Amino acid sequence: MARQSYLFTSESVSEGHPDKVCDRISDEIVDLIYREAERTGMNAWDVRVACETLTTTNRVVIAGEVRAPETLMNGHGGVKPEPFVEAAREAIKSIGYEQDGFHWKNAEIEVLLHAQSTDIAQGVDNAADANSEGAGDQGIMFGYACTETPALMPAPIYYSHKILEDLAAARHAGEGEAGMLGPDAKSQVTVRYENGKPVEITSIVLSTQHLDETWDSAKVRSVVEPYIRKSVGDLTIADDCAWHVNPTGKFVIGGPDGDAGLTGRKIVVDTYGGAAPHGGGAFSGKDTTKVDRSAAYASRYLAKNVVAAGFAERCTIQLSYAIGVAQPLSVYVDLHGTGTVDEAKLEKALAEVMDLSPSGIRRTLDLNKPIYGRTAAYGHFGRDVDAEGGFSWERTDLVDALKAAV
């Protein structure tokens, strides 16, 4: 039997963390190509992106492979760098970097993107039709949902994200002294569970960049604590909660000027904060023929609908794929002893209510569109579905179909 009383910790990082800057740039490249495909009439199903970004002091390197509209290609197997440089600068500006060591206007940006390898493309392209389109790579993907929060996410990662998201909103809005916070930040929340339920926060860690060099840890805490208390809502902060705010002291030099960043280094932050397995593949910078991304979204979608249907308080789903093969090799469901239905029966039902081929996932969740820049910070899961179709995998519109199938 799983433990019912324990402490569990998850961390988050802000949009200005060096790795998240890279995730954002990589996802803005994905959006750029989908947007240009729509503008030029290129079939969005034919878009391919595998983009990696590196950042350091006033330097950005963008590399990888794409299949993009001719308007973005240079005719010699590479891309025209200007639109990609502009997308990167806009991303950096939106995050808020205007510092000597990393500035959206002054950073040197190198673009090393080239056309996708035909050897890699053939697993997807050789399909007789979209319905038989193969996975872009092999791999395993996990989805998870639980009843701990309204978003059906684990409490530690949910509140770690919420703290940073609320502080970023205050920073962007220039709210009082919060307007003097910098873009780079990390949070960590430890939650105490009793009888399997989150009951209180026992420790809070926050390290945030600040632009006023005279601020010490006590000053930063005085600025951020009201926001943190509001962010955690009804979850109690223990009277003896351990607070560690900027525990090393001054944090003025931040972002890529303080530490190099790379795409895909915060994959546990992107998902469930360690409360559920992660298949290993990163999301950002990839189009949705890559099942690392699309099948992770599908498995979250299914797990969330299982919990929303009342079949379990916790649900983990694993999908597995082989390159060039359309349907998953396996579907696995674990209800962690909280289920009201047979897991084997549920596995069969999931395959009935949703086409789990890459094309089926993209069609069901409407993924062939520029909706990915917004996913790069504060988690890919537990977010609100937006008007443009972003976070469509957070819908709970499969509940009735699942109940009928089971």
Side-chain angles (χ1 to χ4, degrees):
M1 179 179 292
R3 292 179 64 192
Q4 296 296 298
S5 299
Y6 54 91
L7 301 178
F8 195 84
T9 304
S10 294
E11 70 158 348
S12 181
V13 297
S14 73
E15 61 185 334
H17 184 280
D19 296 330
K20 279 293 154 199
V21 173
C22 294
D23 285 344
R24 174 69 178 274
I25 292 171
S26 293
D27 273 338
E28 292 293 350
I29 299 304
V30 175
D31 285 352
L32 167 66
I33 294 174
Y34 273 120
R35 197 174 293 114
E36 186 67 3
E38 183 178 287
R39 189 187 72 82
T40 61
M42 176 183 175
N43 190 341
W45 288 86
D46 293 331
V47 165
R48 303 287 184 269
V49 191
C51 174
E52 311 291 346
T53 302
L54 177 148
T55 58
T56 186
T57 302
N58 268 333
R59 185 75 183 271
V60 178
V61 180
I62 302 169
E65 55 182 28
V66 302
R67 184 193 291 164
E70 290 301 316
T71 51
L72 294 176
M73 306 302 291
N74 65 12
H76 304 289
V79 302
K80 298 174 183 176
E82 294 81 6
F84 298 91
V85 170
E86 182 180 353
R89 291 200 192 283
E90 284 300 313
I92 297 166
K93 182 179 181 181
S94 174
I95 292 167
Y97 276 113
E98 295 185 343
Q99 301 165 15
D100 290 342
F102 197 69
H103 197 297
W104 65 270
K105 187 183 294 186
N106 303 327
E108 181 181 348
I109 301 176
E110 186 175 7
V111 179
L112 302 174
L113 295 167
H114 60 81
Q116 186 187 42
S117 159
T118 55
D119 290 349
I120 292 175
Q122 64 184 345
V124 176
D125 293 346
N126 288 350
D129 55 55
N131 291 323
S132 61
E133 175 185 83
D137 201 354
Q138 70 176 51
I140 57 174
M141 299 83 207
F142 289 92
Y144 182 75
C146 62
T147 57
E148 294 178 18
T149 61
L152 303 186
M153 287 288 287
I157 188 67
Y158 179 82
Y159 291 112
S160 293
H161 286 323
K162 190 75 165 58
I163 288 168
L164 292 182
E165 195 169 13
D166 289 351
L167 285 172
R171 172 175 63 85
H172 283 297
E175 290 183 7
E177 291 182 306
M180 291 301 293
L181 298 175
D184 192 359
K186 301 178 76 171
S187 65
Q188 187 169 285
V189 173
T190 300
V191 175
R192 184 169 67 85
Y193 288 75
E194 282 186 4
N195 299 318
K197 309 292 185 185
V199 295
E200 66 178 3
I201 295 173
T202 63
S203 73
I204 295 171
V205 182
L206 179 80
S207 294
T208 180
Q209 187 182 16
H210 51 92
L211 306 183
D212 188 329
E213 296 195 21
T214 67
W215 285 12
D216 58 13
S217 298
K219 174 61 178 178
V220 174
R221 177 170 174 175
S222 72
V223 173
V224 302
E225 184 172 344
Y227 290 97
I228 292 173
R229 290 188 177 277
K230 185 176 180 181
S231 297
V232 301
D234 294 334
L235 185 59
T236 301
I237 298 177
D239 292 339
D240 59 351
C241 176
W243 289 75
H244 300 282
V245 177
N246 281 22
T248 62
K250 187 171 73 171
F251 183 6
V252 174
I253 300 172
D257 187 31
D259 191 10
L262 289 170
T263 302
R265 283 206 299 197
K266 289 293 178 284
I267 58 177
V268 174
V269 170
D270 286 341
T271 55
Y272 307 104
H278 191 294
F283 304 156
S284 292
K286 297 176 181 178
D287 74 87
T288 50
T289 64
K290 280 72 170 175
V291 283
D292 278 341
R293 182 168 219 159
S294 57
Y297 292 168
S299 55
R300 162 64 178 174
Y301 177 56
L302 294 175
K304 187 172 184 181
N305 276 271
V306 167
V307 172
F311 292 149
E313 293 183 6
R314 296 172 59 202
C315 176
T316 298
I317 292 175
Q318 185 205 56
L319 304 175
S320 70
Y321 291 84
I323 188 168
V325 179
Q327 291 297 326
L329 306 182
S330 63
V331 178
Y332 167 78
V333 175
D334 183 357
L335 301 181
H336 305 279
T338 69
T340 61
V341 298
D342 179 70
E343 287 154 326
K345 183 181 290 187
L346 188 54
E347 289 166 356
K348 293 179 181 179
L350 294 176
E352 291 175 14
V353 299
M354 182 177 179
D355 178 0
L356 293 173
S357 68
S359 55
I361 293 169
R362 292 200 285 164
R363 187 180 300 108
T364 299
L365 299 179
D366 197 15
L367 298 180
N368 294 338
K369 56 174 55 175
I371 55 173
Y372 299 105
R374 68 199 73 173
T375 68
Y378 314 118
H380 290 245
F381 308 126
R383 310 284 291 277
D384 293 331
V385 180
D386 61 42
E388 293 78 32
F391 304 102
S392 58
W393 48 93
E394 292 297 311
R395 303 188 316 240
T396 54
D397 53 357
L398 272 185
V399 166
D400 290 342
L402 268 176
K403 287 180 177 179
V406 171

